Amino acid sequence: MHPLWSSSELSAALSTDTEGGTGEAISGVSIDTRSLQPGDLFVALKDQRDGHDFVSAAFKAGASAALVSETYTRQPGEGALFRVADTLSGLEALGVAARKRLAADARIVGVTGSAGKTGTKEMLRACLSLLGATHASEKSYNNHWGVPLTLARMPRETKFGVFEIGMNHAGEIRPLTKMVRPDAAIITTVEPVHLEHFPSVEAIADAKGEIFEGLAPGGAAIIKLDNPHASRLRTIAEKLGAKPMTFGFDDRADVQGANFTASDNGSDMTVAIRGGGSFPVHLAMPGRHIAENALAVAAALYSVGADVQKGLSALQSLAPPSGRGARCTLHIGDGQALLIDESYNANPASMRAALATLAAVPRAKYSRRIAVLGDMLELGSEAPALHTGLKGAVDEADVDLVFACGPHMKGLYDALPAAKKGGYALTSATIGTALAENLRAGDVVMVKASNGTRLGPVVAALKTQFGNDEPAA
């Protein structure tokens, strides 16, 4: 196994010589001294804080070298330095070099979309890991520094790479996809999110379509057929010379899900690939939206020449990521309640999907359904209507009790009948207490909001107060 980077490779990628020694072999790349491992290259990025303030700490923690600006003043005891005009640009250069050095038969998949990016990326990671050495984004490292950092961490032996690419504004995906250069690019869906930064949902579709600009020649542009903007995305892909490939439950899709059945413990369907046969698939993660994203995964596997059936077998045991549908049992008195943690992010589409998944939990197991809903952020002037408009989804899910927090979610809460009102608070800091006081054995509780609404700490407090473990299947 080769080191991640040698000193000479770093010098070549960064177009700079090493200062203060030849530098040891680099085993990793870090931007945070709290998680830095011995042997890492520390990259002193300037963001909320200036990473140059932590260079000495990085060397004390065992860094082999540091990437710093040309104006940085060396401190006593520091090791090898690589000086560049701008450290973010330097990180990008490392990412580009890492992508270029992969073997010719390596295959890269990019993922974007208004919802389901991280879950789809994790499904791809699990599937491709069965088929070869796979490298994928950590957490949601999908922004202007997360993508090049993930690229820079990619081992040269990588057979499959999976990169999540996000955006809040038009033009943000374009430079990232051109660094990643995917062989297949997935747009999970286009929904009314980040509306405060866009004039229309069509503009959001165009911004998501930027991911196709980085595709390798003839690469696959994977598009959700059952979306109002599918034809718009297809047009973008075709103009760029990409090969459109659709997925969904519609029988016109190139990758179709048929015979779909759902339960609270997962779902089953037949995956039919036009020109590629069909086979049954079981998903451990419940929810029709999860199954739909699994079809996008199947499309990506097929488009890069991977063994689709073998790869998808990983999904029969893959659990939801933390904050994105993870489940645990709470112990209340002599009984139990089920907690579904969807606290990491939310938009109107994912909120409806989460409520539908809540409804799939049978009352024979958990007799009372509770939804804890917080504000969906970055919706601009449409926010009040989009929040109040969730009432239909709450009704369809037959939710018994709603706890709500945030100024926008007040509209939904006020629209509910009195019998469904569990409690409202302006912030998440106080809603947890009211929720805990009302919980009882036999409840299923789903917590959903944008991460900035901070319902994550409410989930953590419930686990601490009531103890928790993974629920039995």
Side-chain angles (χ1 to χ4, degrees):
M1 180 72 72
H2 295 284
L4 182 64
W5 292 99
S6 68
S7 181
S8 60
E9 287 175 322
L10 286 176
S11 292
L14 298 168
S15 301
T16 187
D17 293 327
T18 315
E19 175 193 305
T22 58
E24 303 172 24
I26 301 298
S27 55
V29 181
S30 174
I31 61 171
D32 189 339
T33 55
R34 294 169 297 183
S35 56
L36 183 145
Q37 298 297 309
D40 281 357
L41 168 73
F42 177 69
V43 182
L45 293 182
K46 293 183 179 181
D47 201 27
Q48 284 88 359
R49 295 186 293 179
D50 189 344
H52 292 87
D53 296 336
F54 302 92
V55 174
S56 290
F59 280 109
K60 289 178 182 177
S64 290
L67 178 61
V68 299
S69 71
E70 293 171 339
T71 59
Y72 176 70
T73 301
R74 172 185 288 277
Q75 301 299 310
E78 294 180 351
L81 300 179
F82 292 86
R83 293 186 181 274
V84 292
D86 176 76
T87 51
L88 178 58
S89 297
L91 181 61
E92 292 170 352
L94 282 184
V96 170
R99 177 65 178 93
K100 285 182 177 178
R101 71 182 181 180
L102 293 183
D105 62 348
R107 293 293 179 264
I108 303 296
V109 182
V111 182
T112 194
S114 298
K117 292 186 296 296
T118 301
T120 301
K121 179 257 296 182
E122 289 302 323
M123 284 194 280
L124 278 164
R125 184 207 298 268
C127 294
L128 290 168
S129 292
L130 291 180
L131 308 174
T134 298
H135 177 74
S137 311
E138 289 185 24
K139 302 178 182 177
S140 291
Y141 282 6
N142 62 19
N143 63 1
H144 64 288
W145 58 259
V147 171
L149 176 62
T150 302
L151 279 166
R153 289 172 168 175
M154 184 164 58
R156 71 193 76 231
E157 300 86 3
T158 296
K159 175 70 173 177
F160 300 107
V162 186
F163 292 82
E164 180 179 340
I165 304 178
M167 64 93 184
N168 290 49
H169 299 80
E172 290 180 339
I173 289 178
R174 181 171 293 114
L176 301 179
T177 188
K178 290 181 178 179
M179 280 187 267
V180 171
R181 288 173 40 228
D183 299 285
I186 296 171
I187 298 179
T188 58
T189 189
V190 175
E191 304 292 344
V193 300
H194 310 307
L195 277 175
E196 68 180 10
H197 306 304
F198 289 91
S200 65
V201 184
E202 288 77 13
I204 294 173
D206 292 343
K208 295 297 184 186
E210 292 173 17
I211 195 172
F212 300 148
E213 296 180 25
L215 277 168
I222 299 170
I223 299 163
K224 179 180 176 180
L225 182 60
D226 184 20
N227 185 270
H229 310 284
S231 62
R232 189 182 192 95
L233 295 175
R234 177 187 286 273
T235 298
I236 292 171
E238 289 173 341
K239 285 182 177 179
L240 292 167
K243 178 184 176 182
M245 191 173 191
T246 58
F247 67 92
F249 292 105
D250 191 304
D251 59 11
R252 296 171 298 170
D254 296 314
V255 178
Q256 180 204 358
N259 307 316
F260 177 77
T261 58
S263 74
D264 64 316
N265 292 322
S267 58
D268 292 273
M269 64 181 171
T270 299
V271 174
I273 302 174
R274 183 167 287 121
S278 63
F279 47 87
V281 172
H282 174 72
L283 307 173
M285 288 189 281
R288 184 180 175 90
H289 61 299
I290 299 296
E292 195 165 44
N293 288 338
L295 295 172
V297 170
L301 296 177
Y302 182 75
S303 68
V304 300
D307 186 329
V308 182
Q309 188 167 5
K310 181 178 179 181
L312 290 182
S313 68
L315 303 185
Q316 63 190 2
S317 59
L318 183 66
S322 177
R324 295 178 172 89
R327 298 183 174 204
C328 70
T329 300
L330 303 178
H331 301 283
I332 302 175
D334 295 330
Q336 296 179 340
L338 175 65
L339 174 63
I340 304 175
D341 177 14
E342 290 270 9
S343 62
Y344 185 78
N345 216 341
N347 58 57
S350 67
M351 189 71 84
R352 287 185 170 84
L355 286 164
T357 303
L358 171 63
V361 178
R363 290 192 184 273
K365 286 186 177 181
Y366 297 97
S367 59
R368 191 170 67 151
R369 297 172 184 164
I370 298 177
V372 185
L373 309 178
D375 274 4
M376 304 175 290
L377 304 180
E378 298 185 3
L379 295 179
S381 62
E382 297 295 315
L386 290 171
H387 282 78
T388 305
L390 293 173
K391 183 179 182 299
V394 171
D395 292 339
E396 289 173 15
D398 198 17
V399 175
D400 297 292
L401 211 55
V402 173
F403 291 83
C405 69
H408 295 307
M409 201 56 78
K410 181 68 159 56
L412 170 64
Y413 191 77
D414 288 344
L416 297 173
K420 288 186 183 291
K421 293 182 177 181
Y424 170 80
L426 189 60
T427 68
S428 62
T430 53
I431 198 67
T433 301
L435 172 62
E437 290 174 349
N438 280 274
L439 278 185
R440 64 192 189 206
D443 288 345
V444 53
V445 186
M446 188 274 290
V447 181
K448 181 79 171 169
S450 288
N451 195 33
T453 306
R454 295 195 53 76
L455 279 181
V458 172
V459 171
L462 289 174
K463 291 180 177 181
T464 298
Q465 182 173 350
F466 295 107
N468 71 93
D469 53 37
E470 294 302 314

